[in-house]
């Protein structure tokens, strides 16, 4: 496929998978429980390493994450790597209702279907044999997929040793397509974004840096993670193959010393172990997902010049709750109370956390400048008139976004808004009904303090940057979502990512007529109403032999 047709197909996929008021994107329309994919991938036959549950030993508080140099870097070893996975992709609880039980994880996922798989690539270290590992969140264990011999060890990128390691992420599209059909590819990308931010927050809790490596191509990532090993995906696993997504370099060196580029060579001389488990007895094909996956397949590219954000006033210190507690208590709200107002300071602090600051997580993990901005429905914020607002996460977007929106908008600065926060009131009105309608009539969008759609600089980014930017824009949306999930918890509130929204209804409201800007994800924040019918169990309560190990005296 040449570049022009890849771009065309990518844009066509986006258009085709929009939900419209009277027509949703194509999906099965019902849940076929007989083919529900297993949410846990395993590689039978690969040697196992059981990790301990040590996250309660993490001393940092949530507020510490955003203050430079406050958390001393921990040494890298099997225990701290275990904590990184426990607090990023690990289980956070089990929920139980009548005869059903389901696991929740630190990273959220559309429909709780969890298409994202996590990998570790480490050099030899005293507490851990070098190689490629697959993380099994259900068991909090690592499967040793590739054992390095000496030749393969020499193939590991130099900067990994002794200060760093790689975390790899991949997606099983079928897990989301089983329920959501054609729109599922979007949700898989959101989930990758949430996982990227989850890894960034967990690494920050250990005093570590992390950075997305933008140069490697998907083929290289697949080879490095062993995803292209056909022999390991035999016996009915063809449709639940993993699509390579991203490599994150994690290091206990300072963020400024992380290399822009790592020479990656396939670990072909290592010994690979284990075969993937089939996830469903049968599959339904969604050819447009395969097509868009192909169209957005990333080639190897030159490393991009890292975006250096301007210095901003430091974030106002927030919750002193232990990071591990806050990360594991993160939940999506199922209902909001429809009455609680939040203070303007809380609102501004939440929005402020979405602006990149040098060396501050999660934004320092992405090497590019912000390409997503928020179109907000403010419902209940003390001192702010309810209405439609816009947050520009980058000053440069103003001259592009203003002409793209309705020319009747007010462009008024809200009272008391910090100067560096580019928040504009566009229209004053009670938009509760509108916001609910836009988000597929979900009441969580109108019953909170505020909700919003994330407006990406869309068409030009994909036409000029390459079709793989389609995935990256969704990743940025997922990072935004993860940041706000934690911010909401820290403020004693709760939030939910909203993948179901009527794309063009939102665009029409704003006056958007071209693909210059497109909404890629919606979100809501407010005071939750708990569902008391559900019972909550500990994240690893199903494993009798695994107990959380608290900090020593
Ligand atoms: C990309 C994405 C889209 C989502 N869309 C919706 C949605 O439209 N409506 C909703 O109620 N929840 C939505 N959720 C919330 C998920 O259902 C929730 O994350 C999942 O059930 C796991 O629960 P947890 O977040 O409490 O761990 C979405 C989550 C993500 C990550």
């Amino acid at each position: 496929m040449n570049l022009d047709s890849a771009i065309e197909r990518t844009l066509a996929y986006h258009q085709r998978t929009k939900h419209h008021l009277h027509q949703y994107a194509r999906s099965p329309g019902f849940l076929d429980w007989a083919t529900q994919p297993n949410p846990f991938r395993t590689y039978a036959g690969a040697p196992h390493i059981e990790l301990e549950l040590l996250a309660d030993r993490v001393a940092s508080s949530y507020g510490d994450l955003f203050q430079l140099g406050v958390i001393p870097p921990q040494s890298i070893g099997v225990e701290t790597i275990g904590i990184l996975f426990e607090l990023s992709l690990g289980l956070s609880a089990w929920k139980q209702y009548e005869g059903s039980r389901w696991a929740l994880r630190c990273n959220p996922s559309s429909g709780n279907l969890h298409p994202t798989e996590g990998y570790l690539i480490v050099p030899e270290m005293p507490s851990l044999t070098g190689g490629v590992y697959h993380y099994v969140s259900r068991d909090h264990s690592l499967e040793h997929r590739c054992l390095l011999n000496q030749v393969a060890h020499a193939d590991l990128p130099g900067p990994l040793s002794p200060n760093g390691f790689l975390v790899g992420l991949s997606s099983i599209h079928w897990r989301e397509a089983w329920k959501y059909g054609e729109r599922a590819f979007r949700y898989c990308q959101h989930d990758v974004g949430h996982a990227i931010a989850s890894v960034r927050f967990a690494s920050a809790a250990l005093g570590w840096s992390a950075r997305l490596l933008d140069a490697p191509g998907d083929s290289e990532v697949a080879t490095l993670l062993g995803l292209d090993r056909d022999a390991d995906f035999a016996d009915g696993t063809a449709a639940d193959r993993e699509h390579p997504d991203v490599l994150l370099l994690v290091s206990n060196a300072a963020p400024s010393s992380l290399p822009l580029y790592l020479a990656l060579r396939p670990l072909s001389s290592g010994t690979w172990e284990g075969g993937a488990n089939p996830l469903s007895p049968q599959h339904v094909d969604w050819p447009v997902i395969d097509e868009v996956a192909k169209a957005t397949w990333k080639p190897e590219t030159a490393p991009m010049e890292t975006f250096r954000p301007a210095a901003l006033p430091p974030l106002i210190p927030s919750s002193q709750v232990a990071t591990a507690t806050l990360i594991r208590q993160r939940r999506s709200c199922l209902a909001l109370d429809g009455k609680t107002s939040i203070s303007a300071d809380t609102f501004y602090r939440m929005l402020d956390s979405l602006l990149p600051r040098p060396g501050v997580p999660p934004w320092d993990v992405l090497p590019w400048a912000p390409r997503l901005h928020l179109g907000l429905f403010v419902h209940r914020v003390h001192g702010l008139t309810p209405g439609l607002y816009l947050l520009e996460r980058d000053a440069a977007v103003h001259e592009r976004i203003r002409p793209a929106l309705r020319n009747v908008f007010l462009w008024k600065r809200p009272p008391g808004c910090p100067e560096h926060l580019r928040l504009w009131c566009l229209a004053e009105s009670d938009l509760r009904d509108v916001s609910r309608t836009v988000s597929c009539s979900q009441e969580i969008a109108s019953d909170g303090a505020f909700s919003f759609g994330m407006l990406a600089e869309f068409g030009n980014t994909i036409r000029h940057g390459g079709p793989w930017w389609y995935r990256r824009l969704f990743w940025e949306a997922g990072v935004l979502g993860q940041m706000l999930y934690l911010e909401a918890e820290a403020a004693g509130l709760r939030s939910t990512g909203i993948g179901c929204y009527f794309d063009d209804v939102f665009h029409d409201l704003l006056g958007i007529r071209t693909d210059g800007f497109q909404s890629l994800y919606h979100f809501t924040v407010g005071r939750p109403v708990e569902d008391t019918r559900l019972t909550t169990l500990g994240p690893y309560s199903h494993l009798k032999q695994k107990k959380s190990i608290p900090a020593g005296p």
Side-chain angles (χ1 to χ4, degrees):
M1 199 184 303
N2 70 32
L3 190 60
D4 285 344
S5 66
I7 290 170
E8 205 179 294
R9 278 181 200 210
T10 304
L11 298 175
Y13 169 81
H14 185 69
Q15 195 59 29
R16 175 186 174 119
T17 55
K18 285 180 173 175
H19 285 329
H20 299 281
L21 269 179
H22 302 295
Q23 191 180 4
Y24 284 87
R26 266 192 76 207
S27 75
F30 69 101
L31 296 175
D32 178 9
W33 295 112
T35 60
Q36 185 183 20
N38 184 340
F40 300 109
R41 160 127 291 162
T42 51
Y43 286 91
H48 259 71
I49 295 191
E50 292 294 330
L51 298 168
E52 290 185 288
L53 296 168
L54 299 172
D56 287 325
R57 287 194 181 166
V58 172
S60 57
S61 73
Y62 177 71
D64 294 342
L65 299 183
F66 308 100
Q67 294 186 47
L68 291 178
V70 166
I71 306 175
Q74 306 289 299
S75 61
I76 292 177
V78 70
E79 294 194 340
T80 44
I81 288 176
I83 293 174
L84 176 95
F85 278 101
E86 190 181 346
L87 289 181
S88 55
L89 307 180
L91 303 190
S92 57
W94 285 87
K95 290 282 173 183
Q96 196 167 287
Y97 177 61
E98 295 186 335
S100 309
R101 222 161 74 101
W102 60 97
L104 298 178
R105 306 190 197 183
C106 295
N107 56 320
S109 166
S110 188
N112 202 28
L113 298 167
H114 288 286
T116 318
E117 295 293 324
Y119 287 83
L120 167 71
I121 301 172
V122 269
E124 192 76 17
M125 50 181 71
S127 57
L128 195 59
T129 312
V132 179
Y133 294 84
H134 170 249
Y135 178 64
V136 185
S137 60
R138 181 194 58 201
D139 306 337
H140 191 46
S141 67
L142 291 170
E143 294 173 322
H144 203 163
R145 283 277 287 140
C146 179
L147 301 136
L148 301 185
N149 60 25
Q150 274 194 334
V151 182
H153 200 262
D155 280 342
L156 273 183
L160 291 193
S161 196
N163 291 327
F165 57 90
L166 296 176
V167 172
L169 299 174
S170 68
S171 299
I172 300 172
H173 299 149
W174 162 242
R175 285 212 184 108
E176 289 282 330
W178 167 75
K179 179 171 180 186
Y180 295 112
E182 293 192 351
R183 200 167 156 105
F185 186 76
R186 298 180 177 209
Y187 298 152
C188 291
Q189 310 311 319
H190 289 126
D191 283 10
V192 171
H194 280 285
I196 291 171
S198 300
V199 170
R200 181 63 195 108
F201 284 122
S203 55
L206 293 155
W208 297 344
S209 320
R211 187 175 192 286
L212 181 149
L213 296 176
D214 71 295
D218 286 338
S219 300
E220 285 175 283
V221 178
T223 304
L224 202 66
L225 302 181
L227 309 181
D228 59 356
R229 298 179 52 76
D230 293 347
D232 302 348
F233 292 87
D235 299 336
T237 56
D240 40 55
R241 288 289 285 259
E242 294 168 45
H243 185 291
D245 286 309
V246 73
L247 294 176
L248 304 170
L249 171 61
V250 181
S251 167
N252 66 4
S256 55
S257 65
L258 296 192
L260 286 183
Y261 178 75
L262 290 186
L264 300 172
R265 275 168 292 186
L267 302 173
S268 44
S269 52
T271 310
W272 289 84
E273 306 252 23
N277 59 335
L279 302 181
S280 300
Q282 274 152 21
H283 301 85
V284 176
D285 282 341
W286 294 96
V288 292
I289 292 193
D290 300 336
E291 247 179 51
V292 71
K294 205 164 153 199
T296 57
W297 189 263
K298 183 184 175 296
E300 193 178 358
T301 48
M304 66 171 71
E305 195 56 47
T306 300
F307 164 67
R308 304 215 179 277
L312 297 175
L315 272 177
I316 295 167
S318 69
S319 167
Q320 288 310 306
V321 173
T323 315
T325 305
L326 198 94
I327 286 176
R328 285 177 302 192
Q329 79 175 48
R330 183 212 61 77
R331 298 278 179 279
S332 293
C333 58
L334 303 174
L336 294 168
D337 71 1
K339 57 179 190 227
T340 302
S341 291
I342 62 171
S343 73
D345 285 349
T346 301
F347 178 60
Y348 292 143
R349 147 83 203 194
M350 285 186 178
L351 298 187
D352 208 1
S353 73
L354 305 179
L355 303 183
R357 289 172 162 80
V360 175
W363 300 108
D364 61 345
V365 79
L366 299 182
W368 59 81
R371 282 184 168 73
L372 269 70
H373 312 277
L374 311 189
L376 295 126
F377 298 108
V378 171
H379 303 310
R380 300 173 185 88
V381 178
H382 289 299
L384 266 76
T385 311
L388 187 63
Y389 288 69
L390 182 81
L391 176 72
E392 295 169 342
R393 295 180 54 240
D394 178 15
V397 76
H398 187 75
E399 63 182 35
R400 294 188 291 276
I401 202 165
R402 190 163 177 162
L405 305 186
R406 284 181 195 280
N407 57 15
V408 293
F409 284 152
L410 303 171
W411 294 96
K412 222 168 65 172
R413 294 280 289 151
C417 181
E419 197 148 332
H420 66 275
L421 198 60
R422 298 183 59 88
L423 182 67
W424 303 96
C425 175
L426 301 182
E428 297 179 342
S429 181
D430 177 353
L431 293 172
R432 284 175 296 175
D433 288 347
V434 177
S435 65
R436 186 173 50 243
T437 303
V438 164
S439 286
C440 295
S441 304
Q442 301 185 74
E443 290 184 348
I444 47 173
S446 54
D447 283 350
F450 65 100
S451 63
F452 58 88
M454 303 184 194
L455 290 168
E457 297 198 62
F458 189 77
N460 281 344
T461 301
I462 292 164
R463 287 190 188 91
H464 299 147
W468 54 92
W469 270 95
Y470 185 59
R471 290 159 58 203
R472 292 178 166 189
L473 293 175
F474 280 99
W475 299 352
E476 187 176 326
V479 176
L480 273 164
Q482 193 65 18
M483 178 75 246
L484 271 187
Y485 262 117
L486 296 189
E487 277 291 296
E489 295 290 337
L493 303 166
R494 191 143 279 176
S495 56
T496 295
I498 299 181
C500 188
Y501 57 92
F502 298 120
D503 304 62
D504 287 341
V505 174
F506 187 59
H507 297 150
D508 286 346
L509 182 77
L510 289 158
I512 292 172
R513 299 253 166 267
T514 70
D515 72 5
F517 290 89
Q518 293 281 285
S519 183
L520 297 190
Y521 193 16
H522 284 224
F523 210 83
T524 188
V525 179
R527 171 87 55 214
V529 180
E530 294 303 334
D531 186 341
T532 50
R533 296 168 307 166
L534 304 186
T535 312
T536 306
L537 306 165
Y540 289 97
S541 51
H542 62 298
L543 301 178
K544 296 278 173 290
Q545 76 281 15
K546 268 206 205 282
K547 294 263 175 289
S548 271
I549 302 175

